[in-house]
Amino acid sequence: MTHEQATKLTPKGRKALVAGGIGNTVEWVDWAIYTTFSSVFAVHFFPSEDPVAALLATLAVFAVGFIMRPVGAALLGAYADKHGRKKGLTLTIGLMAGASLVIGLTPDYSSIGILAPIILVLARMVQGLSAGGEFGAASAFMVESAAPRRRAFAGSWQQVSVGAGVLIASGIGAVITSTLDSEALDSWGWRLAFIIGAALGLFGLWLRASVEESDSFQNAKKEREAASAADRMSSFVQIFAKHPAAVARVFGITIAGTLLYYIWVSYLPTYAHVTTGLPLNQALTANFIAMAYFIALLPFAGILSDIVGRKPTMSAFAAGFLLLSFPMLNFMGNSFWGFLVIELIGVTLLLGYSANCAVIMAEQFPPEVRATGIGLPYALAVAAFGGTAPYIITWMNEAGHGDKVWIYCAIAAAIGLVVYLTMPETKGKKLA
């Protein structure tokens, strides 16, 4: 194999990368629109006498979607392993877009009573299923479609598309809230956001329906058809029966990455506002700049991993947070520029995890179980560590232990460092 063959995407691979990346972006636009407009539409789905209670109920429904992600990873991952990445990805984006449309069109509590929150819960459960199935299927598809020596580069676009989806959702929120008055926003503006998300889903669905299936899945399908009935167990059963070490490794790989990602990307502006008095709009502006910088550098971090390896780049991420969590979190002042520097340092370190996570997980499993093997332990770790991080930090602040948040981050980084230093290097491993 020539250097060009090993590093250059084929036309089929480029199309797969575009379809996987754009489709994943659309998925995360739909997912993030919920939180972007939750404070606006809360009173439309729950009794409006107490707006705070309505908002808390709406956020509880958001948590239900989070809990459904491991279920989606198991069910839809198994579907993608059995019927193909293409069918799995068209199903996940169809479910996400359909659920967004349902939320956007559901009548108010004042019109249909208890049916309104029931429909919201069911729609958010479907979105959770979709998000859980999306990560494993999209990661497998993009990595399988890559040039052999550019697998981390291809996998990095999974995280690029997640970040782009969150930024687009924020942009939609900014445009709608800036152009509509409060009455229009409350009556129909928030619904428009969900309908826009559903319409984008149709575009992503068309893109994904037009791509070819990956060669890895096609080859695995032939082998599965030739296997005995006893060997055709579901991918959900297989990952635990035949690949328990890989399942544990994916779970361990995710702990530090998801916890520190959610703190730095999702919660740090609020943390800075509460602990230092930095105006929230300044904290959010710094966060937006850092996210744009992070997204732009992700593919280059993927190329670096393809050159020097997964272990060095992942270990640098964990070691950096282990050493710098204390100064970054304890010397955080109320200066915009100081906070921006802390944000940029953190997301620079996060590149080592985010550029690698999809490819490392894909390299742990054979193609017949790859989507489930990636998606399920990842979703379990995200639910256990990523989703709980903001609540734990909030509790620590309320209990007077805000100055010890760095220890929480450092422990996660230390766990990650042990996992990354002891895992086998998979750069250059032949991907079936």
Side-chain angles (χ1 to χ4, degrees):
M1 181 181 292
T2 66
H3 176 75
E4 184 176 6
Q5 289 173 323
T7 58
K8 187 175 181 181
L9 276 171
T10 64
K12 176 182 175 180
R14 283 195 294 272
K15 190 172 183 180
L17 208 58
V18 170
I22 293 179
N24 200 38
T25 298
V26 171
E27 280 255 349
W28 284 95
V29 169
D30 286 1
W31 176 261
I33 279 175
Y34 186 99
T35 49
T36 302
F37 287 92
S38 58
S39 61
V40 179
F41 69 78
V43 295
H44 292 275
F45 286 93
F46 297 93
S48 58
E49 292 79 13
D50 187 349
V52 174
L55 177 58
L56 289 173
T58 307
L59 293 176
V61 176
F62 172 75
V64 168
F66 228 91
I67 293 168
M68 290 301 295
R69 287 174 66 171
V71 180
L75 296 178
L76 299 180
Y79 180 85
D81 282 328
K82 183 176 182 179
H83 298 288
R85 317 307 187 212
K86 176 179 174 178
K87 288 184 178 179
L89 290 172
T90 53
L91 178 59
T92 57
I93 199 168
L95 288 172
M96 183 67 79
S100 287
L101 185 62
V102 167
I103 295 173
L105 297 179
T106 298
D108 292 0
Y109 182 91
S110 60
S111 299
I112 60 173
I114 193 65
L115 281 177
I118 290 174
I119 292 171
L120 179 65
V121 169
L122 292 175
R124 194 58 184 175
M125 288 175 70
V126 170
Q127 287 192 321
L129 281 171
S130 173
E134 173 73 16
F135 181 82
S139 297
F141 186 56
M142 296 168 85
V143 172
E144 288 171 352
S145 302
R149 295 184 190 173
R150 286 294 179 266
R151 293 201 299 255
F153 169 76
S156 72
W157 286 92
Q158 199 281 336
Q159 290 292 300
V160 170
S161 56
V162 171
V166 174
L167 283 184
I168 291 171
S170 298
I172 291 172
V175 170
I176 289 179
T177 55
S178 298
T179 55
L180 298 179
D181 58 37
S182 58
E183 183 178 348
L185 176 64
D186 181 67
S187 62
W188 59 268
W190 66 270
R191 295 183 184 275
L192 177 62
F194 282 100
I195 293 170
I196 290 172
L200 290 173
L202 291 177
F203 174 66
L205 190 63
W206 170 77
L207 264 181
R208 289 183 167 181
S210 66
V211 298
E212 298 178 48
E213 188 54 79
S214 73
D215 292 337
S216 289
F217 173 78
Q218 296 284 31
N219 295 334
K221 182 179 179 182
K222 293 175 184 176
E223 292 179 8
R224 188 186 300 112
E225 290 170 349
S228 64
D231 291 331
R232 294 178 193 163
M233 64 179 76
S234 73
S235 57
F236 174 76
V237 175
Q238 281 194 61
I239 62 170
F240 293 104
K242 296 183 178 181
H243 311 282
V247 170
R249 191 174 297 122
V250 169
F251 187 89
I253 286 168
T254 307
I255 290 173
T258 189
L259 189 150
L260 294 167
Y261 181 93
Y262 271 85
I263 290 175
W264 237 256
V265 170
S266 300
Y267 189 69
L268 202 62
T270 300
Y271 177 80
H273 174 64
V274 170
T275 59
T276 72
L278 178 68
L280 186 58
N281 65 326
Q282 292 187 25
L284 290 171
T285 300
N287 182 257
F288 181 89
I289 294 169
M291 276 300 294
Y293 160 86
F294 174 71
I295 292 169
L297 287 188
L298 268 169
F300 298 99
I303 292 174
L304 179 65
S305 173
D306 283 324
I307 295 171
V308 304
R310 321 303 186 215
K311 292 181 69 170
T313 45
M314 292 286 275
S315 299
F317 144 70
F321 269 105
L322 183 60
L323 294 172
L324 298 177
S325 289
F326 175 76
M328 286 194 293
L329 292 176
N330 276 37
F331 299 118
M332 183 184 293
N334 60 358
S335 160
F336 168 79
W337 294 107
F339 181 68
L340 177 60
V341 168
I342 290 172
E343 278 270 27
L344 291 173
I345 293 171
V347 297
T348 298
L349 294 173
L350 279 168
L351 289 168
Y353 168 77
S354 294
N356 275 310
C357 61
V359 69
I360 290 179
M361 294 173 192
E363 289 167 342
Q364 304 300 317
F365 299 96
E368 61 269 19
V369 299
R370 187 167 287 141
T372 310
I374 296 170
L376 181 55
Y378 172 82
L380 288 169
V382 168
F385 296 96
T388 58
Y391 299 98
I392 291 174
I393 292 176
T394 300
W395 171 81
M396 291 179 72
N397 279 329
E398 291 295 321
H401 303 304
D403 60 332
K404 296 180 177 63
V405 169
W406 74 271
I407 298 176
Y408 178 51
C409 295
I411 290 173
I415 293 170
L417 187 59
V418 171
V419 173
Y420 307 147
L421 290 175
T422 57
M423 71 183 185
E425 176 61 71
T426 52
K427 180 182 83 76
K429 175 183 177 180
K430 183 175 174 57
L431 195 70

